[in-house]
Amino acid sequence: MSSAKYPCDLHVHSHFSPDAEAEPDELFQRAKERGLTTLVITDHNTTRHLNVARAAAQKYGLETLEGVEISTRGNTQSVHILGYATRFDRDILEAGLASTIAALNARAQTMIELLRTQSIVDLDFATIAGRQHGAYVGRHEIARAIAA
């Protein structure tokens, strides 16, 4: 977040993304303190942040849009697509994200099983999933569990 030439940030993550820890309210408060006028939370593969982000924007008098960062694959590379709207059709968006979330959780389970079978660390997918706010277990959460 910076208040440089353009007083907006259109790509931040809250604790609903596996790679961030801040509450949406905290992000909007910091944006306001830094002189931003617009902030959009684009959490990974989830809509869980949308209502609280809208409420926080209103609380701090900032403009916002609904945002999401969708993970997909292009050839052999991971690709992230940013989406913005004044209001998403959440039923359609969540239905589309369901297969992405299932694939990400399957990847996490495979990673955890590999770590366990190689006697690297004994982790449990359900325990990690129960600790996070997002819709799926990401690599960041597995790394945090290993470091704990």
Side-chain angles (χ1 to χ4, degrees), residues 4-127:
K5 185 175 180 181
Y6 302 102
C8 61
D9 193 332
L10 304 178
H11 185 187
V12 298
H13 299 302
S14 77
H15 69 108
F16 290 104
S17 279
D19 60 349
E21 296 181 11
E23 299 276 340
D25 190 85
E26 180 184 348
L27 293 170
F28 280 92
Q29 180 182 7
R30 282 193 238 159
K32 180 72 171 184
E33 290 168 356
R34 292 184 173 134
L36 298 184
T37 60
T38 306
L39 182 72
V40 181
I41 296 176
T42 54
D43 282 329
H44 292 280
N45 306 306
T46 186
T47 61
R48 292 181 181 188
H49 62 285
L50 296 177
N51 290 337
V52 291
R54 190 171 295 283
Q58 190 170 26
K59 176 180 174 181
Y60 293 103
L62 297 175
E63 295 293 323
T64 195
L65 292 169
E66 293 190 349
V68 65
E69 183 170 351
I70 300 170
S71 301
T72 188
R73 303 240 1 125
N75 295 328
T76 59
Q77 297 182 53
S78 176
V79 176
H80 294 211
I81 300 168
L82 293 168
Y84 302 94
T86 52
R87 287 222 186 260
F88 286 120
D89 182 325
R90 293 198 194 157
D91 291 337
I92 291 173
L93 184 57
E94 289 169 4
L97 290 171
S99 62
T100 298
I101 290 166
L104 291 166
N105 277 326
R107 180 186 72 180
Q109 288 174 321
T110 299
M111 291 170 71
I112 290 167
E113 185 59 28
L114 181 61
L115 290 166
R116 187 181 11 249
T117 59
Q118 297 295 316
S119 300
I120 295 170
V121 66
D122 187 23
L123 299 176
D124 178 63
F125 176 82
T127 301

